[in-house]
Amino acid sequence: MRLLVTGATGKVGRALVDRLQGTCEIRALCHNRSLDVDGVESVFGSIADRDAVRRAMAGVTHVVHLATCKETPDEIMDVAVKGLFWLLEEARESPTFERFVLIGGDAAVGHFVYKHPVPVTESQRHTAYEGCYALSKVLEEVMLEQYQIAYGLNSTCLRAPWIMDRDDFRYSLSFGTDQFGGPPWRELVDGDVPDGAVPLALDADGRPLKRNFVHVSDLVEAIAIALDHPAALGQTFNICMDEPVDYQHVVDHLASTRGLPAVKVPTPHHSTWLDNAKAKLLLDWKPKYDTELLIDEAWAYQRSPEDPRIVWYPG
C-alpha cells in the first residue's frame, strides 16, 4: 500500500499517520504546514493545483482525503470541489490506484440545525444548512458518488460528526474565551456564570440537547479498516459514538465526579442521533468512547508548554 493523505497535518491526519506508520508507505500533500515525520514523504503544493495533485498521486494505491475548510468562502470551493475533482480525476486515470476514502461530515445531513424525528442513517437525503461549509460537505459526497456511478471508482465515505481529541471536550464546555468550537455559550445566557460552570445545553424544545461526537482514535480505526475492507466498496458510513452526548448526562457526571455547577443554556438547535449500525455490521468496527470516557479523559489530560491549546471559533 502506498497511501496519500491530504490534510495530514491536522488532528485526524496526524493521528492517522501515527497509526499507520510502519505498515505502509505514506505520502502527505502539504500546503501551509509541513509534516516532519520520519519515513513520511511530503509533496508541497495547493490541492487546487492539478500539477501538485498529479505529483502527489504518482504511484499511489490508496487515498485518504481529509483536507477541508470551515466557513471560508474565498477558499472552500478550491479545496472541497476543485481539489477533490483533481484527486478523483488522477485516481480514475492511475494504473496503480486501488481505493479512495473520503472523510465527510454530519453537516451534509444537517447536523443539529434541522429536526430529525428518527435516527439519522446513511440513506437520509443531503440537507445543507446556511453557510459554505455544510454545502461543501454535500458537494464532496455527491461528487464521490457520481464517480462511483460513472467510472466505478473504488471508494468509500466515512461521515463523522465533531471530532474530539485530548482536552477538546473540556474546552468545548467552557464559558470563557478559551472555548473550543461552538455554540458560544456565554452569548446565550444572561447574568453571571459561576466559576467552573458547564453548560446544560437545551434544544429548541427546551429539553437537554443531544449532539453527536466521535473520538479521533475511533475515527482513525474506522479509516484503517475501510482502506482495504471489501464491504466498504461504494458505501457511506456514519462513524460516531454509539449514542449522542446528552448534555444532561454531561452535567450530572461532572457534578458527581468533580462538583462542577451547571448553567442552563437555551439554544435554537435540535437533538439528533447519528446511527452507526451500518459501520458496526459491515465493517465490524466499534467505537471505544462513550460520554463518560470522553469527559474523564478530557479532564485528566495535562498539556505541556510545548503543547499549547489553539483556540478557534466558530465550530
Side-chain angles (χ1 to χ4, degrees), residues 220-239:
V220 163
E221 285 305 309
I223 296 171
I225 293 170
L227 280 169
D228 60 5
H229 200 299
L233 176 61
Q235 299 293 331
T236 296
F237 298 97
N238 293 333
I239 304 296

Side-chain angles (χ1 to χ4, degrees), residues 37-85:
V37 178
D38 290 343
V40 176
E41 178 190 0
S42 293
V43 173
F44 294 90
S46 169
I47 197 171
D49 179 356
R50 186 170 193 178
D51 288 338
V53 173
R54 182 176 288 120
R55 285 187 284 110
M57 286 288 293
V60 161
T61 60
H62 294 69
V63 179
V64 175
H65 182 39
L66 289 159
T68 189
C69 296
K70 289 292 183 180
E71 292 293 343
T72 50
D74 290 343
E75 301 174 0
I76 199 162
M77 290 301 141
D78 282 341
V79 174
V81 177
K82 186 185 288 186
L84 178 56
F85 175 70

